[in-house]
């Protein structure tokens, strides 16, 4: 029996995770779902944002479904020592799972172009996959310190780290339109020179059927909103990927529409990219679409059930058109939208 561990986390995390788990139970009744704590909620209960009992539960998991982690800017959690803050639990989770490649699809669903802040003619047909390196670079390098009025962080990559995430991007491009844009800042950063060299060498050696081009991160930041349809798969390192994926996330019209998958050596981690939204937590109005579409990615990449994943994605698209949530200008609350997705699963256009 496949095992999925859910980590609801903080803020609206428990609400959207419950909705996503309900859909997962409906489409995959054979899956065993086990819930554990992470983030601020885990700190409050166990004094650790990534407690040992959560670590232990992951050992025999086939996939992990995460809600959200963190509190408001004025949360007392932010005054804790860094290793006890909720976000440290998330970083430790990624490291424990060996999730080095983060996949963030940016897709404007047909009929929902009006939700995008871009002109409809620019938003129409946008379908980008951002592949972000997740375990290296400036976020994870131990060479960091604050010393009086000086502080520093170090960005560092090795060839094996670059090659393993680049393979994911090239593999994904082979399933899509066959184009990879590798993003760096090789004109000023030595670490980007290494990145560009290694990505190009891997492509020339193993993926000659994939078209590869290199672009600077500042150029991509402009073009991803000025001409998003030019991109198929975007490959980049951790810091640049964090910024670009959040920038691209506004294109579909709401962070509530953005799922993600983090893949690597162990079970995959699947999560919506929106924050914990503590200002609306507990009100039952959070948009669960991203969490439910993260279940679709879990079905595709974690449980290898692509046909069921496609059904969930079509059901979400139909529910969004007929029952938009409040952040999209509609009236549907969390429960209403979840039921709309479940009802849509039985629609002839979905099955």
């Amino acid at each position: 029996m496949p095992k999925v561990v859910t980590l609801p986390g903080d803020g609206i995390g428990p609400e959207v995770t419950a909705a996503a788990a309900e859909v997962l139970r409906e489409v995959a009744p054979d899956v065993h779902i086990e819930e554990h704590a992470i983030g601020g909620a885990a700190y409050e209960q166990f004094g650790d944002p990534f407690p040992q009992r959560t670590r232990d539960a992951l050992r025999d998991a086939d996939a992990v479904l995460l809600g959200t982690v963190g509190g408001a800017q004025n949360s007392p959690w932010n005054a804790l020592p860094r290793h006890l803050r909720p976000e440290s639990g998330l970083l430790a989770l990624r490291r424990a799972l060996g999730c080095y490649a983060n996949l963030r699809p940016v897709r404007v669903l047909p009929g929902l172009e009006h939700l995008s802040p871009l002109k409809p003619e620019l938003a129409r047909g946008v379908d980008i996959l951002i592949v972000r390196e997740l375990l290296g670079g400036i976020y994870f390098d131990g060479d960091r310190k604050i010393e009086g009025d000086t502080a520093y962080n170090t960005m560092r990559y090795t060839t094996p780290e670059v090659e393993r995430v680049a393979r994911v991007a090239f593999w994904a491009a082979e399933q899509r339109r066959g184009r990879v844009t590798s993003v760096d800042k090789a004109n000023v950063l030595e670490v980007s020179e290494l990145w560009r060299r290694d990505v190009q060498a891997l492509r020339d050696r193993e993926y000659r059927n994939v078209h590869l081009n290199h672009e600077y991160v500042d150029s991509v930041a402009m073009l991803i909103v000025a001409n998003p349809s030019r991109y198929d798969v975007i490959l980049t390192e951790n810091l640049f990927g964090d910024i670009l994926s959040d920038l691209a996330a506004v294109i579909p019209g709401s962070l509530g529409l953005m799922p993600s998958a983090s893949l690597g050596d162990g079970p995959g981690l699947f999560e919506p990219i929106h924050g914990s939204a503590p200002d609306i937590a507990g009100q039952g109005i959070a948009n669960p679409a991203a969490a439910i579409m993260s279940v679709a990615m879990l079905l595709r990449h974690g449980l290898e059930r692509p046909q069921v994943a496609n059904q969930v994605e079509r059901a979400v698209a139909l529910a969004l058109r007929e029952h938009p949530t409040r952040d999209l200008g509609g009236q549907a609350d969390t429960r209403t939208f979840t039921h709309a997705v479940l009802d849509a699963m039985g629609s002839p256009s979905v099955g």
Side-chain angles (χ1 to χ4, degrees):
M1 175 183 291
K3 174 183 172 181
V4 172
V5 171
T6 64
L7 306 174
D10 309 317
I12 63 172
E15 298 166 69
V16 298
T17 302
E22 187 173 353
V23 173
L24 179 59
R25 290 188 184 95
E26 177 68 22
V27 300
D30 62 312
V31 172
H32 172 67
I33 300 176
E34 189 174 302
E35 181 178 310
H36 289 274
I38 196 169
Y43 172 78
E44 295 296 336
Q45 190 172 358
F46 302 107
D48 187 338
F50 187 36
Q52 188 61 47
R53 63 179 62 196
T54 300
R55 294 176 184 265
D56 293 342
L58 301 178
R59 289 175 182 168
D60 60 346
D62 294 281
V64 180
L65 179 64
L66 175 67
T68 63
V69 168
Q73 289 189 7
N74 61 352
S75 169
W77 293 337
N78 297 331
L80 292 169
R82 182 172 296 277
H83 71 283
L84 295 178
R85 297 176 191 174
E87 294 77 11
S88 294
L90 175 58
L91 294 177
L93 170 65
R94 291 171 177 169
R95 187 184 293 112
L97 295 176
C99 293
Y100 57 79
N102 179 240
L103 279 62
R104 290 196 181 184
V106 180
R107 183 176 175 226
V108 176
L109 299 173
L112 299 180
E113 294 85 358
H114 64 284
L115 299 176
S116 176
L118 302 182
K119 296 178 180 179
E121 59 269 24
L122 288 178
R124 187 170 296 111
V126 169
D127 184 4
I128 306 169
L129 179 65
I130 298 176
V131 179
R132 166 192 172 191
E133 200 287 324
L134 205 58
L135 289 183
I138 203 165
Y139 291 168
F140 279 88
D141 199 291
D143 196 4
R144 57 170 68 199
K145 188 175 289 187
I146 298 178
E147 296 178 324
D149 60 357
T150 300
Y152 62 87
N153 295 81
T154 303
M155 181 186 293
R156 193 189 318 254
Y157 274 104
T158 65
T159 294
E161 288 176 315
V162 175
E163 288 185 344
R164 68 181 183 179
V165 70
R167 281 193 171 90
V168 174
F170 288 131
W171 166 82
E174 289 178 327
Q175 321 305 312
R176 294 167 52 91
R177 302 190 298 277
R179 294 186 287 114
V180 171
T181 300
S182 180
V183 178
D184 58 44
K185 193 63 176 168
N187 56 335
V188 294
L189 298 176
E190 284 78 4
V191 68
S192 284
E193 289 185 44
L194 175 85
W195 181 280
R196 181 174 292 210
R197 182 199 73 189
D198 291 345
V199 170
Q200 185 67 55
L202 180 65
R203 181 268 175 194
D204 293 344
R205 192 170 65 245
E206 300 180 21
Y207 298 94
R208 295 184 180 181
N209 59 318
V210 176
H211 175 77
L212 170 67
N213 71 298
H214 305 273
E215 295 183 10
Y216 296 141
V217 61
D218 42 354
S219 174
V220 175
M222 176 186 68
L223 292 171
I224 206 168
V225 293
N227 186 18
S229 294
R230 65 177 284 146
Y231 294 113
D232 179 15
V233 176
I234 292 176
L235 165 66
T236 192
E237 59 86 38
N238 207 342
L239 174 62
F240 296 160
D242 189 4
I243 296 169
L244 289 178
S245 57
D246 282 351
L247 172 63
V250 306
I251 296 175
S254 170
L255 289 178
L257 301 178
M258 299 293 295
S260 75
S262 298
L263 310 177
D265 300 326
L269 175 64
F270 305 88
E271 59 180 306
I273 75 162
H274 57 67
S276 59
D279 56 319
I280 63 169
Q283 299 180 35
I285 60 174
N287 182 355
I292 296 172
M293 288 193 287
S294 294
V295 163
M297 297 190 77
L298 184 155
L299 289 162
R300 177 174 292 110
H301 298 289
L303 301 182
E304 297 183 356
R305 303 183 186 185
Q307 292 182 339
V308 182
N310 291 339
Q311 290 178 344
V312 172
E313 289 172 344
R314 288 194 291 266
V316 170
L318 181 60
L320 285 169
R321 287 194 293 270
E322 297 185 354
H323 300 278
T325 50
R326 299 189 186 190
D327 58 314
L328 301 176
Q331 296 297 319
D333 57 21
T334 309
R335 294 297 305 156
T336 302
F337 184 82
T338 304
H339 288 156
V341 172
L342 293 171
D343 291 342
M345 293 295 298
S347 170
S349 63
V350 169

